[in-house]
Amino acid sequence: MTSVPQQRRTPVHIAPEGRARYRRILRFASWYLAVTWWFELFLPRIGLRKVAERTRASRMRRFARSFHVLAVDLGGLMIKVGQYMSSRLDVLPPEITKELEGLQDEVPPVPFTAIRAFAETELGAPLDRVFTAVVETPVAAASLGQAHRARLGPIDAADTGLDAVVVKVQRPGIDVIVDVDLAALRKVGGWLSHVRLVSDRVDAPALVEEFAQTSLEEIDYLHEASSLERFSEIFSDDDRVTVPAVVWERTTRRVLTLEDVTAIKITDADALRAAGIDPTEVAPVFAEVMFDQLFTHGFFHADPHPGNIFVTPVADDAAGGRRWRLTFIDFGMMGEVPATTRSSLRKLLIAAASRDGKGLVTAMQDAGVLLSTADTVELERAMTELFARFGAMGFAELPEVDPREFRIFAAQFGEVVRSLPFQLPENFLLVIRAMTLTSGVASALDPSFNLWDSVEPYAAQLIRDERGNIAQDLGRQALDIAAVTLRLPRRLDGLVTRLEDGSLSVNSPRLERQVARLDRTARRLVSALLFGALLIAGAVLQTSDAGLGTVLMIASIAPLLHALFAGRGTT
């Protein structure tokens, strides 16, 4: 992600129209923080821990329901906060996540007269002059903006080669609402940083800042357009994926005009079958594309819900023999994974595919998800048991499991997982969101879809790639050593020549013998290093390229013999 401009930080002064909203959010947060303090901290200290434990589930559900009402009423970022909480199965109890999982970013649309006036101000011209037609009923209306279908004017159509477009317009006044909401969230994050029950497990202010950065980028349509084009460039040679074109001439920070690429919604199984497309064939391709974004390119669509992905029918020869492509839209929420974090994600993926509980915990520590001081013995046992019990099941099969199985597992390990000091590296929230949505969409396409089945071949390819990287590194090292072998005698000869021809004439036979011994020792040392490099490179390559591996292993004999016997007869 790009950095957030400093001027978009928390406002020093809340605008008068936002003060009531700001106070309402803080009142809600302070009340439930006080309730939590009373039940989770105070009552246990005076010997009433059982009272807190007995009422915990009902209190959590009551909080979630109250927040649901608040989010729907206020809109803005509050809906996105609720959606985020519903996905945090790792740190929030199921009473909260289940209650909020149905929270949708769907709000009543802004009247078209207000949208028209706002868009005309942004574009600097009446809509009738910019577009030949605009449909007043929105295609979609969300908390941050809404979209309308339109047709480009003749000049723009001729310049772009497009006709039908979708015009996405920011909700008027949403930037003020976002600033108010972020100011309130930062205040709450500061409060939580002083609550040990929370601060021992998560850096609340850091999570708020990451959420703020994502939210501010979502309302900057120029940023979204740039992200779309970057995504398009990455997949330009990939026949599985397509994206809409940007009409830059009709795009500003608050208005985004895109090619209309509406097709079959990815989870509309009946429409897919009517088009001759098997939904069960779409599921693994979709998962592979998402894995490529996350683990190979490091730039990924962080909001791949069914409304943002179409399946577009194409001619048989246009998509590698497939009769369809995946069309991604809405690039407001994108994630970027640095190379170091991407390496850690690969280790996590390989461990998960191998059902390796211990390896998964180690990879989590390497990725920075777990603090190095965490006691992970019980977590390793929990992960091993998790894979043993549920690893062979598809996402859609889990609801069929006897609920007692989950209760037994939760009773055994739930407190272990929740008590560990987790911290999330940059963008891990978005990674978790993307993977959760990927699993859900794929399972909707194919109820028997098992995410592990898609992970395993991908992980195997990653292992082969890593092996190839190691072999290439060893090969480069062998060449470097060989180059040193060739250069070293000449450099030693030059050193002797400079000693002989310098202002100080050196005629000591003892010194000459020492130089000669140094020459022989250096040659034998380099031969030993070259032997080791060739032998290891050959052994690594033997599994993937037997011919080249055997040649390198045989070639290693020559430097070995030189290292063992060269110069033995010379004193």
Side-chain angles (χ1 to χ4, degrees):
M1 282 189 180
T2 56
S3 60
V4 181
Q6 292 299 313
Q7 64 267 27
R8 300 289 300 174
R9 290 292 190 182
T10 308
V12 177
H13 301 290
I14 303 298
E17 63 271 22
R19 288 174 189 165
R21 180 186 185 90
Y22 179 79
R23 287 194 293 266
R24 183 175 175 186
I25 295 171
L26 293 189
R27 278 198 306 270
F28 179 91
S30 59
W31 168 253
Y32 280 100
L33 279 174
V35 170
T36 301
W37 174 84
W38 176 263
F39 281 95
E40 302 297 338
L41 296 177
F42 180 73
L43 292 185
R45 287 182 181 178
I46 61 174
L48 298 176
R49 181 179 299 276
K50 289 186 177 180
V51 174
E53 292 175 349
R54 190 169 59 250
T55 61
R56 183 173 295 139
S58 60
R59 284 187 286 109
M60 294 297 144
R61 282 192 292 269
R62 191 157 51 246
F63 162 78
R65 289 169 186 157
S66 298
F67 186 85
H68 192 291
V69 172
L70 178 78
V72 172
D73 190 26
L74 292 182
L77 293 184
M78 292 299 103
I79 289 179
K80 293 190 175 296
V81 170
Q83 290 175 328
Y84 161 68
M85 288 196 294
S86 72
S87 69
R88 295 313 312 275
L89 302 174
D90 53 336
V91 295
L92 291 176
E95 290 83 5
I96 291 178
T97 57
K98 186 170 182 62
E99 190 67 36
L100 295 176
E101 65 184 4
L103 187 60
Q104 300 293 320
D105 190 4
E106 295 175 357
V107 297
V110 176
F112 184 71
T113 52
I115 288 293
R116 173 189 287 275
F118 188 81
E120 289 179 344
T121 300
E122 279 293 306
L123 295 174
L127 287 189
D128 294 342
R129 284 174 45 194
V130 177
F131 304 102
T132 57
V134 179
V135 179
E136 295 189 6
T137 303
V139 178
S143 56
L144 302 183
Q146 64 189 53
H148 295 258
R149 285 198 172 94
R151 291 193 174 277
L152 287 177
I155 296 177
D156 288 337
D159 290 342
T160 62
L162 303 176
D163 178 26
V165 293
V166 171
V167 184
K168 186 175 176 180
V169 182
Q170 195 177 100
R171 291 180 77 94
I174 193 62
D175 52 347
V176 174
I177 292 174
V178 167
D179 281 342
V180 171
D181 289 356
L182 291 180
L185 291 173
R186 287 184 175 114
K187 176 69 75 174
V188 174
W191 290 345
L192 293 175
S193 68
H194 297 294
V195 179
R196 189 170 181 180
L197 187 68
V198 177
S199 61
D200 283 350
R201 300 177 58 201
V202 69
D203 185 349
L207 292 184
V208 171
E209 286 310 315
E210 185 173 343
F211 180 78
Q213 183 171 332
T214 302
S215 301
L216 292 173
E217 288 176 351
E218 272 201 84
I219 61 172
D220 183 351
Y221 290 165
L222 290 175
H223 183 273
E224 179 176 345
S226 297
S227 296
L228 186 158
E229 294 214 327
R230 179 179 174 186
F231 187 92
S232 176
E233 179 64 26
I234 289 172
F235 286 97
S236 59
D237 297 324
D238 193 324
D239 57 26
R240 300 171 299 174
V241 177
T242 185
V243 298
V246 179
V247 183
W248 283 102
E249 297 82 355
R250 302 305 176 192
T251 294
T252 71
R253 197 172 71 82
R254 295 181 177 90
V255 174
L256 175 61
T257 305
L258 301 171
E259 175 187 9
D260 188 352
V261 292
T262 305
I264 303 171
K265 186 177 179 179
I266 190 170
T267 52
D268 190 343
D270 292 337
L272 290 173
R273 293 190 190 96
I277 301 170
D278 185 351
T280 62
E281 293 179 2
V282 177
V285 175
F286 171 63
E288 289 167 7
V289 169
M290 291 304 301
F291 288 151
D292 282 345
Q293 294 174 48
L294 285 161
F295 303 114
T296 302
H297 305 300
F299 184 68
F300 62 95
H301 197 301
D303 196 22
H305 65 73
N308 284 341
I309 305 152
F310 296 119
V311 177
T312 304
V314 296
D316 289 351
D317 59 348
R322 284 185 307 277
R323 298 182 56 209
W324 51 271
R325 283 179 176 156
L326 295 171
T327 301
F328 286 77
I329 63 170
D330 195 348
F331 294 83
M333 187 184 296
M334 303 295 292
E336 191 159 4
V337 186
T340 52
T341 306
R342 197 153 66 246
S343 175
S344 299
L345 282 174
R346 289 194 185 104
K347 293 176 184 176
L348 282 167
L349 181 64
I350 292 169
S354 305
R355 316 297 203 276
D356 180 4
K358 182 179 175 66
L360 186 66
V361 173
T362 301
M364 289 168 68
Q365 287 182 308
D366 292 344
V369 175
L370 274 178
L371 295 178
S372 60
T373 56
D375 182 4
T376 58
V377 174
E378 283 299 305
L379 182 61
E380 289 175 6
R381 193 162 73 88
M383 292 298 101
T384 301
E385 182 71 16
L386 176 68
F387 285 132
R389 291 190 186 184
F390 309 116
M393 297 181 183
F395 188 83
E397 294 177 88
L398 293 179
E400 301 174 8
V401 177
D402 188 336
R404 287 175 294 183
E405 284 281 320
F406 292 117
R407 284 198 292 270
I408 292 171
F409 182 83
Q412 282 183 281
F413 303 111
E415 190 57 36
V416 171
V417 174
R418 283 195 286 268
S419 64
L420 284 169
F422 284 96
Q423 65 177 10
L424 292 173
E426 182 183 1
N427 271 342
F428 252 54
L429 295 179
L430 296 181
V431 172
I432 292 169
R433 176 182 175 83
M435 290 303 296
T436 301
L437 289 171
T438 297
S439 181
V441 169
S443 295
L445 287 163
D446 180 4
S448 65
F449 177 82
N450 188 335
L451 191 64
W452 304 120
D453 292 339
S454 290
V455 166
E456 284 172 336
Y458 199 88
Q461 180 61 48
L462 287 176
I463 293 172
R464 288 193 294 271
D465 292 345
E466 292 295 325
R467 182 192 301 149
N469 292 336
I470 293 172
Q472 290 176 11
D473 291 342
L474 289 172
R476 283 193 293 269
Q477 292 174 14
L479 291 175
D480 291 342
I481 292 172
V484 171
T485 304
L486 294 173
R487 292 196 302 269
L488 189 58
R490 188 180 302 112
R491 296 178 68 181
L492 288 171
D493 289 342
L495 174 61
V496 173
T497 300
R498 286 194 296 272
L499 286 171
E500 292 176 342
D501 297 343
S503 57
L504 175 64
S505 178
V506 180
N507 295 315
S508 170
R510 184 168 176 268
L511 179 59
E512 290 177 358
R513 284 196 301 274
Q514 288 178 338
V515 172
R517 189 178 297 114
L518 176 61
D519 184 11
R520 290 193 300 274
T521 301
R523 290 172 184 265
R524 293 174 62 190
L525 177 61
V526 171
S527 293
L529 292 172
L530 184 59
F531 158 72
L534 289 172
L535 181 65
I536 294 172
V540 172
L541 286 173
Q542 187 75 16
T543 57
S544 57
D545 191 337
L548 179 57
T550 302
V551 169
L552 289 177
M553 294 175 73
I554 294 174
S556 71
I557 296 175
L560 173 63
L561 295 175
H562 182 270
L564 292 174
F565 303 110
R568 285 293 178 89
T570 306
T571 57

